[in-house]
Amino acid sequence: MTTHPRPVYVIGAGPGGLAAAAALRARGIRAVVVEKSDTVGSSWRRHYDRLRLHTTRRLSALPGLAMPRRFGRWVSRDDVVRYLEKYAEFHELELVTGVEVARIEPAGPEGADGWTLHATGGRELAAAAVVIATGYNHTPALPDWAGLDAYEGRLLHASEYRNPQPYAGQDVLVVGIGNTGAEIAVDLVEGGAARVRLAVRTAPHIMRRSTAGWPAQRSGILVRRLPARLVDRLSVLVARASVPDLSAYGLPRPATGLYSRVKQGSIPVQDVGLIDAVRGGTVEPVAAVEAFDGAEVVLADGSRITPDAVIAATGYRRALEGMVGHLGVLDERGRPRTHGARSPEQARGLYFTGFSNPISGMFREMAMDAEKIAKAVARRSGTGAA
């Protein structure tokens, strides 16, 4: 009788999960990717139409397969999906779709004897190790605004936004000035919305996606290991030289440093038309949303507006509590305490990838994490080349 070693289960068939599975397979380790949807890259398929990677094609490839030159420098959403499909095919990854893992339990003390995955259909999957790659943008999050339940207007999360066509000729309020909110606001203007306001709670750092051919991502890679204070000072000089002061338009320069904000989880807004739209008056920054009252939106400065639609670009939750919250591996905000090749001391053989939004580029970091995770698994199991 032959006993087959338990596989490593990778949860999530997005870029992080596929990269980890390919890196494991390259080391001779069987990896099974479990995905709750029916296809790879499901979150990318749901993003708005005009989305492009803010990182360059060359610096966004996953291990073992370059992105095609024809995709251009800034890869579109549809081409990212094509790449992920090709990636899974090229690496001959073992995919199980339509299965959701609800809870992970250690098979022995602290995962010493592997893990048991409880999945839909009553499945119990035995794993030698587990890589969780369910994504940074997992579950849409809305603030607990007063009066929200009784709001009489149209409200949707940015995850439901696809293109500006339904909003042509309308008055639209976009809430949140991260990269998603900023880009949706510009998209609405270019798509014919009659009025676009952008509710801002904290003024963001805005940077050019590329300056004289030099992508902002390369700067992020160069400064990533430097002290935050030093990068904060350098970024002030760069911003003054490359980004106009928008204070007169309701977007003052931030009081806190760029890299200090990154460390807190706030990535700079890469300009894809926002600066020109704000200066031209087609995107109007307004105060943060404070509450909803009937058909009105109450802003933090006391003003009230009645837009035709409110699009909330208010972020996502990681939603890991049900799966691993009982293991003590999440912080107070529900984020993994470890990432990449670092496995929690109380949960050996459990790895996380894709749960940060680094200044150096998420795809690049997931690619690097994949190689490190595969090496750690090989070393731990004595399987494959370490």
Side-chain angles (χ1 to χ4, degrees):
M1 178 178 177
T2 303
T3 301
H4 295 282
R6 290 167 298 176
V8 174
Y9 277 96
V10 180
I11 305 174
L18 297 179
L24 287 162
R25 192 176 188 281
R27 291 179 176 271
I29 301 170
R30 184 186 173 206
V32 179
V33 182
V34 181
E35 167 59 44
K36 70 175 182 179
S37 72
D38 60 358
T39 186
V40 303
S42 61
S43 64
W44 271 91
R45 296 172 193 272
R46 294 193 301 268
H47 286 314
Y48 50 93
D49 294 350
R50 74 172 278 160
L51 178 65
R52 290 181 176 270
L53 282 176
H54 289 165
T55 53
T56 66
R57 170 180 53 82
R58 288 178 178 271
L59 295 174
S60 300
L62 302 178
L65 185 66
M67 287 189 172
R69 184 185 295 271
R70 68 177 182 277
F71 285 179
R73 194 179 201 196
W74 311 105
V75 182
S76 71
R77 178 204 65 180
D78 289 347
D79 281 338
V80 169
V81 172
R82 291 187 186 98
Y83 174 72
L84 296 178
E85 290 173 340
K86 180 64 177 178
Y87 192 85
E89 177 187 345
F90 178 82
H91 288 291
E92 299 179 336
L93 300 182
E94 190 173 345
L95 295 170
V96 177
T97 59
V99 174
E100 183 174 6
V101 176
R103 189 175 176 88
I104 299 174
E105 299 280 3
E110 300 178 349
D113 298 323
W115 297 86
T116 300
L117 282 59
H118 299 274
T120 49
R123 297 175 178 87
E124 289 192 359
L125 309 174
V130 181
V131 180
I132 300 178
T134 47
Y136 187 82
N137 296 333
H138 187 275
T139 301
L142 284 174
D144 188 20
W145 286 308
L148 180 60
D149 291 343
Y151 179 52
E152 298 170 5
R154 183 185 180 192
L155 170 70
L156 66 151
H157 189 271
S159 60
E160 301 174 72
Y161 177 87
R162 293 295 172 268
N163 59 63
Q165 185 176 348
Y167 310 95
Q170 294 191 6
D171 180 340
V172 186
L173 173 67
V174 180
V175 184
I177 192 171
N179 277 294
T180 297
E183 190 157 2
I184 287 176
V186 172
D187 198 34
L188 288 164
V189 168
E190 294 177 356
R195 185 176 189 179
V196 178
R197 284 174 282 203
L198 184 57
V200 180
R201 183 169 299 280
T202 304
H205 286 276
I206 302 174
M207 59 196 306
R208 303 288 188 184
R209 186 167 63 177
S210 178
T211 304
W214 179 264
Q217 181 189 8
R218 287 201 178 273
S219 297
I221 293 170
L222 290 174
V223 305
R224 186 158 191 239
R225 304 296 181 187
L226 296 178
R229 285 185 180 181
L230 174 59
V231 180
D232 286 347
R233 289 197 294 269
L234 291 172
S235 65
V236 170
L237 300 176
V238 172
R240 287 176 179 168
S242 61
V243 178
D245 186 356
L246 301 175
S247 299
Y249 305 94
L251 278 182
R253 294 194 189 276
T256 51
L258 183 149
Y259 204 30
S260 294
R261 290 270 289 273
V262 169
K263 295 284 191 181
Q264 297 167 4
S266 179
I267 293 295
V269 171
Q270 294 206 17
D271 177 46
V272 290
L274 179 67
I275 292 173
D276 289 343
V278 169
R279 294 175 81 183
T282 53
V283 170
E284 308 168 48
V286 297
V289 171
E290 197 69 24
F292 291 83
D293 185 7
E296 295 183 321
V297 182
V298 183
L299 303 181
D301 60 4
S303 61
R304 291 170 174 256
I305 60 176
T306 312
D308 296 311
V310 178
I311 300 174
T314 47
Y316 296 79
R317 293 186 297 106
R318 312 296 86 82
L320 292 168
E321 289 81 1
M323 188 189 298
V324 296
H326 56 290
L327 300 174
V329 297
L330 305 177
D331 66 15
E332 63 282 355
R333 295 172 61 184
R335 303 172 303 182
R337 296 183 186 275
T338 61
H339 76 278
R342 290 179 57 221
S343 190
E345 287 191 11
Q346 74 276 29
R348 295 297 185 188
L350 184 64
Y351 304 92
F352 297 90
T353 182
F355 292 98
S356 62
N357 198 2
I359 195 172
S360 50
M362 186 179 288
F363 270 57
R364 179 179 180 273
E365 293 300 319
M366 287 189 292
M368 295 170 64
D369 277 351
E371 302 282 13
K372 294 174 184 175
I373 290 170
K375 186 175 182 179
V377 171
R379 185 188 303 116
R380 181 173 181 269
S381 64
T383 306

